[in-house]
Amino acid sequence: MALEIYHQLGHNAVWNFDSIRDDNTGDGVIISPRHIKRSKIEAYPVNTRNRAIFDPQFFLPREAFKKLTTYEFFPANIANEFETNGFIESHANDCAEACVNFQIENGFRFITIPTRYLPGMPSDFSANLEKIFIRPHITALNSKTNHNQVLLEIIVNQQMINDAEYQRDLLNWLTGLDGIDGIYLILERPSNPKQFQDENTIYNYLRFINAIKLNDMFLVMGYLGLESLVYSIASPDIVTIGTFENTRVFQIDSFAESETDRRGPRPRVYFSKLIQSIDHGLLDAFSRRLDDYNELLDHNGYQVEMFQPEFKWHFTKSAIYKHHLLEFSTQLRNIAELDGRQRFERVTEMINIANDNFRRISEAGIPLDIDSGGNHLNIWLTAMNEFAQDQGWR
Amino acid sequence: MKDKAKEILNYLEGKTPIKTGGQKRVYVVNSKKYGKIAVKIGKFDSEKVLERAKRETETQTKIDSPYFAKVYEFLATDREYIIVEEFIEGETLTKRLTEYSEVKDALDLLNHLIEGLKLLWPRIVHRDLKPDNIIIKSNGNPVIIDLGIARLLDHTSLTLSDQGSGPCTPAYAAIEQLTNRKTDIDWRTDQFALGIITSQLLMKGQHPFDPKYIGNRNSYADNIMSGIYKIEVPKVVSELIKKMLGKEPHQRFRKPEPLIEKLNKISEVL
């Protein structure tokens, strides 16, 4: 089945909708109630909602920040003082019923059973999630005569995935749950450096994705950055792309505090032939010192706009993000119809080309820091090669 | 209830049981009320044993199917429990294992067993499927017996978590039973045992985890826990068997339906 691309919505979701409409960069959206009021979602066109996935974002159920306050079924809203046992006893069923009703009434593509954020490797991970959200939601769903397919949301971290027994237990549990059709998987990783640089974890994530797919479960992968190219070889059904970094890397802090006081990120330009976003401050050096600079660029209307002398580089400029969405989604579209093995071969080619380009940049005397450089590429390739070997592809 | 139980025990005194084993004995009796019946008597020295026997009968009482024996009564004295159930005429599959080496015959039997077990799954897991617990009636239809350790997944477990392994027959137990990982036990545990039984049918009784057959010095359980087995089955069914014998539950069929679908597909090409 072809790989679908969904936009992970966050701030300025209007850019995502523009990008999908104007540049065909996505097949649907994952709605973020943290950033979008309930009334606004209910006003989306029916066909948008029918293609959308609603992520309830119950990650930190104790406090409802920002727009989450507009959802009466958010745990902290439904229970005045959220406390886990009290919630399970008195509110979990009402919360689940309202959350399910909201999703059915809006006609979203799937019903998403929410998750909470549990760091480390809790021994009661599955029991905790079953009690607080999963069983109440499945009970609510069982009372409905008709509903769309059900996704279970889950956040998996590096410790969980790199511990063989914990990973095994997670898989046995997830694949044994009755009443769900698929997984909405969030893989936690550090946001620094900007590209994920841990081959062991990437390899174990690939194995985890593959194991879920071997169980014929629908798999949506949320909060992904450029590493979605790597994960695509394990054949998930939907990968996500996003505008701001907090939609490309899952950061629990984004759900714990107000983001208004944070400094905006330095604008970076995506180069598909480098599979990396480059700090805009380096572009002058690139243009002066790289003979084939023009070939390195991705030529589109947004690039033209950004490279006008009067363009004011600022993280609030939509062209920077729309350029990223256009170029990166094109790369994903180019492998969407391929099978896992063919994707592995194609992404390997892309990485090899990017490595050559980074070599030329280095030879031109332009040292790049860890966030603009190509360190991640061989790390990704190592993980991909190991996975490919397991699959008998090499 | 105790008086009736004592009455039955008195009646059976001096009679020869058709089967004895451990703390259990089974008699065949002609009853005016039920016709030919099996009377299973077991000694108990703890509430746990009694509770397990009660659960067995509860499970069977709820199922009205030709794939399971009907339970008529459950009685107990202070030391013994009595299960009065339908007597199944036939032979155990153990005695007829070599009669199913044709793929079609083996898959037909597997299909029947799944059809019966679907009445238990997913809420109840048999946990002790093996050729000794399958009776083949004279018309060829199987009856699944001995739900003594069947587990209702929403019931409290009767086994302590720190025990090495849960109740099972080791040569037919999946890794999650052998290592007593209770939360991993579900219908896929029965699927694993069915995988072994199907392999035996296709290999004229040869157990795929048999150390002698494999050529190592492990025990059956060691081989199961290491995922070491050998199957010599026709290619058309090897993928199916391998999936059923997945070492971990997540490596087996997730739901009965895809397993049945795969079985049907194979049957179509035979």
Side-chain angles (χ1 to χ4, degrees), chain A residues 3 26 46 51 58 63 84 94 116 129 144 166 176 211 231 233 254 280 295 306 310 319 331 377 386 393:
Chain A
L3 181 70
V46 173
R51 296 292 304 161
F58 288 3
E63 287 173 89
T84 304
D94 292 343
R116 82 185 288 183
L129 294 180
K144 312 293 171 195
Y166 206 94
Y231 297 140
I233 71 171
S254 306
H280 80 98
E295 281 171 38
M306 285 188 289
E310 65 272 19
Q331 287 179 294
L377 296 170
E386 200 172 348
W393 297 342

Side-chain angles (χ1 to χ4, degrees), chain A residues 87-336:
Chain A
F87 177 81
I88 290 168
E89 227 165 81
S90 313
H91 304 288
N93 290 333
D94 292 343
C95 167
E97 178 73 19
C99 183
V100 163
N101 285 345
F102 173 75
Q103 295 187 66
I104 291 176
E105 281 158 16
N106 280 284
F108 298 129
R109 182 175 170 186
F110 297 97
I111 308 291
T112 308
I113 298 178
T115 195
R116 82 185 288 183
Y117 178 74
L118 295 165
M121 296 198 292
S123 57
D124 62 345
F125 185 75
S126 55
N128 189 325
L129 294 180
E130 279 196 41
K131 269 190 259 173
I132 191 165
F133 298 138
I134 299 173
R135 279 192 213 141
H137 275 74
I138 287 177
T139 305
L141 284 160
N142 286 343
S143 70
K144 312 293 171 195
T145 48
N146 204 9
H147 60 76
N148 289 348
Q149 287 197 313
V150 178
L151 296 178
L152 173 68
E153 181 175 35
I154 181 169
I155 304 167
V156 174
N157 64 40
Q158 287 176 271
Q159 278 173 282
M160 292 174 180
I161 210 75
N162 290 330
D163 183 288
E165 279 187 18
Y166 206 94
Q167 185 189 149
R168 174 202 70 198
D169 292 347
L170 262 182
L171 283 170
N172 285 338
W173 170 63
L174 285 173
T175 56
L177 280 169
D178 215 29
I180 61 165
D181 304 287
I183 307 284
Y184 169 35
L185 180 64
I186 296 171
L187 301 178
E188 202 181 14
R189 68 153 174 103
S191 55
N192 188 16
K194 291 185 187 298
Q195 304 310 332
F196 195 15
Q197 304 197 6
D198 175 346
E199 54 268 80
N200 286 333
T201 305
I202 295 174
Y203 168 65
N204 280 324
Y205 279 154
L206 280 169
R207 292 182 60 202
F208 190 75
I209 297 162
N210 183 54
I212 291 172
K213 284 310 298 170
L214 287 175
N215 276 275
D216 293 326
M217 298 174 91
F218 198 90
L219 182 60
V220 179
M221 298 188 66
Y223 293 93
L224 288 182
L226 302 177
E227 72 276 12
S228 54
L229 279 175
V230 178
Y231 297 140
S232 76
I233 71 171
S235 299
D237 297 281
I238 294 178
V239 291
T240 43
I241 58 176
T243 52
F244 292 105
E245 274 174 22
N246 63 6
T247 60
R248 298 181 205 163
V249 183
F250 179 79
Q251 293 165 278
I252 194 59
D253 292 352
S254 306
F255 298 89
E257 58 188 39
S258 165
E259 290 174 300
T260 48
D261 295 328
R262 291 189 180 178
R263 267 187 329 127
R266 275 180 66 79
R268 307 167 68 79
V269 182
Y270 183 62
F271 282 70
S272 70
K273 296 182 192 91
L274 294 174
I275 318 178
Q276 178 62 295
S277 291
I278 304 292
D279 189 309
H280 80 98
L282 288 162
L283 298 182
D284 285 345
F286 272 32
S287 72
R288 283 194 305 270
R289 300 174 77 162
L290 291 174
D291 294 337
D292 54 357
Y293 179 49
N294 203 39
E295 281 171 38
L296 199 61
L297 290 171
D298 294 298
H299 298 281
N300 61 49
Y302 306 114
Q303 182 262 324
V304 172
E305 183 186 337
M306 285 188 289
F307 282 55
Q308 294 295 324
E310 65 272 19
F311 187 77
K312 300 268 186 263
W313 287 96
H314 191 265
F315 74 96
T316 54
K317 292 282 194 173
S318 69
I320 300 167
Y321 305 99
K322 289 181 178 176
H323 168 81
H324 169 92
L325 294 171
L326 173 57
E327 293 306 329
F328 188 54
S329 68
T330 302
Q331 287 179 294
L332 289 170
R333 292 268 193 232
N334 286 342
I335 57 168

Side-chain angles (χ1 to χ4, degrees), chain B residues 248-264:
Chain B
E248 288 295 331
H250 74 80
Q251 293 166 323
R252 304 175 205 143
F253 287 97
R254 181 176 167 238
K255 291 183 173 180
E257 291 73 23
L259 167 58
I260 296 164
E261 209 173 290
K262 184 93 182 164
L263 265 176
N264 291 340

Side-chain angles (χ1 to χ4, degrees), chain B residues 89-143:
Chain B
E89 300 265 11
E91 284 183 305
T92 65
L93 182 59
T94 308
K95 288 184 183 161
R96 300 182 59 175
L97 266 181
T98 55
E99 294 172 25
Y100 296 86
S101 55
E102 290 294 321
V103 174
K104 190 186 172 308
D105 296 339
L107 296 194
D108 274 354
L109 181 60
L110 176 61
N111 232 327
H112 274 293
L113 293 171
I114 293 172
E115 205 174 306
L117 288 161
K118 269 177 71 185
L119 299 165
L120 305 182
W121 299 335
R123 232 181 112 240
I124 302 166
V125 188
H126 186 289
R127 293 202 299 178
D128 199 18
L129 291 173
K130 56 185 177 183
D132 265 350
N133 283 343
I134 296 163
I135 306 283
I136 306 296
K137 296 206 287 193
S138 52
N139 64 3
N141 286 342
V143 175

Side-chain angles (χ1 to χ4, degrees), chain A residues 7 15-25 322 325:
Chain A
H7 282 233
W15 294 348
N16 299 91
F17 287 115
D18 289 349
S19 176
I20 292 170
R21 186 192 58 231
D22 300 338
D23 300 323
N24 185 30
T25 58
K322 289 181 178 176
L325 294 171

Side-chain angles (χ1 to χ4, degrees), chain B residues 100-108 110 198 202 231-244 253 258-270:
Chain B
Y100 296 86
S101 55
E102 290 294 321
V103 174
K104 190 186 172 308
D105 296 339
L107 296 194
D108 274 354
L110 176 61
T198 312
L202 292 164
I231 49 168
E232 285 177 302
V233 297
K235 203 176 171 193
V236 69
V237 284
S238 61
E239 287 304 312
L240 174 92
I241 305 278
K242 281 181 191 168
K243 183 97 179 161
M244 293 174 79
F253 287 97
L259 167 58
I260 296 164
E261 209 173 290
K262 184 93 182 164
L263 265 176
N264 291 340
K265 270 191 189 159
I266 296 170
S267 299
E268 276 169 25
V269 299
L270 287 176

